[in-house]
Amino acid sequence: MTEPPKKRGRPRAFDPSLALDRATDTFLRFGYAGASLEALTTAMGVNKPSLYATFGDKRRLFFRALEELATKIGRRCRLAFERGDSLESSLREMFLEAVDIYSSSDAPAGCLVVSGSATEAIVDEGMAQFSRELFALCDKVMAKWMVPYVREGSAVSAMVLSQLCNGVIHDISLRARIGESKVKLREHARGAAVALARSVT
Amino acid sequence: MTEPPKKRGRPRAFDPSLALDRATDTFLRFGYAGASLEALTTAMGVNKPSLYATFGDKRRLFFRALEELATKIGRRCRLAFERGDSLESSLREMFLEAVDIYSSSDAPAGCLVVSGSATEAIVDEGMAQFSRELFALCDKVMAKWMVPYVREGSAVSAMVLSQLCNGVIHDISLRARIGESKVKLREHARGAAVALARSVT
DNA sequence: TCATTTTTGTACCGAATAGAACAAAATGCC
DNA sequence: GGCATTTTGTTCTATTCGGTACAAAAATGA
C-alpha cells in the first residue's frame, strides 16, 4: 500500500509530512505571531507558493500543525499512563513523559497550545475555540483513566483529578519553555504524582 | 509627598503610570510579538518619541509592565491566601482570586508571563531568565505559606505543594485566556483547593 | 513528439513594522 | 522678556510582513 498514485504534473520536491513537522517546530520556536513566512518556508524547505498550494495560508498551516501534534502527544500520554500499575506510578510515568515531550532536544521546548494558540486566542476566536475543545477533550479522556482509582462519593472526583493532571502537564510545558532543567522538571513530575495520588486516598 | 518636582522643560501630557497600565493591557491582549508599536502608542495615548524617551524600546517597556504586574498579582494572592483559616479555605480563596485576576472584564484575560514572556523565552534569553527567577520566587514564597500546614516528614513537602499551587494558578490563567467561563473556572478552583488540601493530610 | 497538468523558483505587491529626525510648543530660570 | 530645556506632534526611512503573479520546469498521456 501507499504506492505512488502517479499523478499528472510535476512531482513535489518535498515531503509534506516532513515539511509539516518543520512548520510545527518553527511555530513552537517563535509562537504563532512571531513565526514569519520566511522562517517557515526556510525551515520547511519549501517556497511560498508551494506552501500556499499545499497547506493554505499561515493560519491553516498552524491548525494542521496543532492537530497533528495534539494527536501525537495524546497517544504518548496514554501509553505512559498505561505503563503504571497504580495511580501514583501511572501519574509519574505520564508526568515524566510530559517532561520528555516538552523539553526534548529534538524540538523547541514547550507546548504549541500553551505557548501558541492560547496566546493568540484573544484576537482569534477560532483558535480559542480549538483550544477550549482540545482542553475539554483532554479533561474528559483523562477523567476516564482516573475512574478506577477514585472511590465513589469521594471529595475529589475523577474530573477534578483529571483537570489537575492536565494543569500539571501544562505547567511542565511552561517550565520547560522558560528553560528549567530536566532534573528539576523530573523532580517536579515525581512530586506532583505523589501529591495527586494522595489526594484521592 | 509626591509633590511635583518642578522640572525645567515642557511638562508631559500623559501619566506614565497610567500609560504603563495601558501598555500592560496591550501586551496582554496581543502577546509580545503581536503587540505593534502603533497598538501600544494608541492604547497608551502617547507618541512614539515620547514612548521611547520615557520607557526605552518595546522590550524594556514590556519588562516594566511585567515587573509592575507581577508585584500587583503577588500581593493579591498573598492577601487572598491570608483570608482563609485553613489550608483548604486559603487555597480556595487564592485560586478564586486567580480566577478574578485572570478573567477580569477590566483587562484582557490571561497572564503576561504565561502568554507573554514564556512564549518569547526561547528566542530571548533575558525573558527566559526573568521568567525563571519569577517562578522560583513564587515557588519559594508560597512554600513558606504552606509550611504550617505540612506535617514533618510528610510525603508531600511544602515546596512540592507550592509548585502545584503555582501550576494550578498558571492553568487557571490559561483556561481563562482561551475563554472558559467564570463559572467553570470557579468550579475548577474549588476542586483544586479540596484536592491539594487533601494531599497533605 | 507534443499537448496537458502540476509544481517550482523568482520577482513583486501594498501594507505594516520598529525606530529616528526634527522643528514647534510649553515650561522654569535668569 | 528672552534663554535653556524638555516634550510634543509630524514626518520619514529602511525593513519586513503575509500573500500573489507569472513563467520556466518536470512529469504523464496521447
Side-chain angles (χ1 to χ4, degrees):
Chain A
M1 48 198 74
T2 73
E3 64 261 13
K6 287 265 181 190
K7 284 199 308 183
R8 222 6 178 43
R10 178 174 176 169
R12 339 191 109 91
F14 65 97
D15 175 1
S17 166
L18 194 73
L20 186 56
D21 285 348
R22 298 291 181 85
T24 303
D25 284 358
T26 309
F27 280 127
L28 250 181
R29 180 166 194 78
F30 298 106
Y32 177 76
S36 68
L37 274 193
E38 203 203 343
L40 285 164
T41 52
T42 302
M44 297 167 78
V46 167
N47 298 320
K48 276 190 267 192
S50 300
L51 189 155
Y52 275 77
T54 311
F55 300 103
D57 62 8
K58 181 182 173 182
R59 189 165 174 276
R60 293 218 284 176
L61 175 62
F62 183 72
F63 275 107
R64 290 279 301 270
L66 267 180
E67 282 164 14
E68 206 221 50
L69 191 59
T71 307
K72 275 188 191 169
I73 291 177
R75 186 169 45 240
R76 284 185 66 175
C77 283
R78 179 174 53 77
L79 290 174
F81 189 88
E82 288 169 354
R83 277 202 296 275
D85 56 0
S86 66
L87 179 56
E88 188 187 317
S89 62
S90 284
L91 292 181
R92 185 174 54 241
E93 290 291 330
M94 183 169 67
F95 295 156
L96 288 173
E97 187 76 11
V99 172
D100 276 346
I101 291 170
Y102 291 127
S103 66
S104 157
S105 56
D106 297 336
C111 167
L112 198 55
V113 175
V114 173
S115 302
S117 58
T119 299
E120 226 65 21
I122 290 186
V123 290
D124 187 332
E125 173 55 27
M127 291 210 191
Q129 191 179 338
F130 182 97
S131 308
R132 277 198 302 274
E133 286 169 3
L134 184 60
F135 274 28
L137 182 68
C138 290
D139 287 344
K140 200 175 120 190
V141 166
M142 208 177 283
K144 277 194 192 162
W145 309 346
M146 304 298 162
V147 167
Y149 300 105
V150 176
R151 288 174 297 107
E152 263 195 69
S154 167
V156 177
S157 68
M159 182 53 94
V160 163
L161 184 58
S162 166
Q163 288 174 334
L164 276 170
C165 288
N166 276 308
V168 168
I169 292 173
H170 300 153
D171 194 36
I172 285 173
S173 88
L174 254 183
R175 292 174 186 263
R177 188 162 184 92
I178 64 175
E180 282 196 4
S181 71
K182 279 194 129 170
V183 173
K184 238 189 137 184
L185 291 173
R186 290 207 190 96
E187 251 178 68
H188 182 63
R190 276 185 270 262
V194 173
L196 293 193
R198 283 180 62 89
S199 75
V200 293
T201 55
Chain B
M1 52 198 70
T2 72
E3 65 261 10
K6 290 265 182 190
K7 285 199 310 183
R8 209 43 161 31
R10 176 172 179 172
R12 2 179 95 93
F14 65 95
D15 176 0
S17 167
L18 193 72
L20 186 56
D21 285 348
R22 300 292 182 84
T24 305
D25 283 358
T26 308
F27 280 128
L28 250 182
R29 179 166 197 77
F30 299 104
Y32 177 77
S36 68
L37 275 194
E38 202 202 346
L40 285 164
T41 52
T42 301
M44 297 166 78
V46 166
N47 300 320
K48 275 187 268 192
S50 301
L51 189 153
Y52 275 78
T54 311
F55 300 103
D57 61 8
K58 180 181 173 183
R59 189 167 175 275
R60 293 217 283 177
L61 176 61
F62 183 72
F63 276 107
R64 289 280 300 271
L66 267 180
E67 281 164 15
E68 206 221 49
L69 191 60
T71 308
K72 278 188 190 171
I73 290 177
R75 186 169 45 239
R76 285 185 65 175
C77 283
R78 180 175 52 77
L79 290 173
F81 190 89
E82 288 169 354
R83 277 201 296 275
D85 56 0
S86 65
L87 179 55
E88 189 188 315
S89 63
S90 283
L91 292 180
R92 187 174 53 239
E93 290 291 328
M94 184 169 67
F95 294 156
L96 287 174
E97 187 77 11
V99 172
D100 276 347
I101 291 170
Y102 292 127
S103 66
S104 158
S105 55
D106 298 336
C111 167
L112 199 55
V113 176
V114 174
S115 304
S117 58
T119 299
E120 228 64 23
I122 289 187
V123 289
D124 187 332
E125 173 54 26
M127 293 211 191
Q129 191 180 338
F130 182 97
S131 308
R132 276 198 303 274
E133 286 169 4
L134 184 59
F135 275 27
L137 183 66
C138 289
D139 288 343
K140 201 177 121 191
V141 167
M142 207 175 284
K144 277 194 191 158
W145 308 348
M146 305 297 162
V147 167
Y149 300 105
V150 176
R151 288 174 296 108
E152 263 194 70
S154 165
V156 177
S157 69
M159 183 52 97
V160 163
L161 184 58
S162 166
Q163 290 174 332
L164 277 171
C165 288
N166 276 309
V168 167
I169 292 173
H170 299 153
D171 194 36
I172 285 173
S173 88
L174 254 183
R175 291 174 186 263
R177 188 162 184 93
I178 64 175
E180 283 197 3
S181 71
K182 279 195 126 165
V183 174
K184 237 189 138 184
L185 292 173
R186 290 209 190 94
E187 251 179 68
H188 182 64
R190 275 186 271 262
V194 173
L196 292 193
R198 283 180 62 90
S199 76
V200 293
T201 55

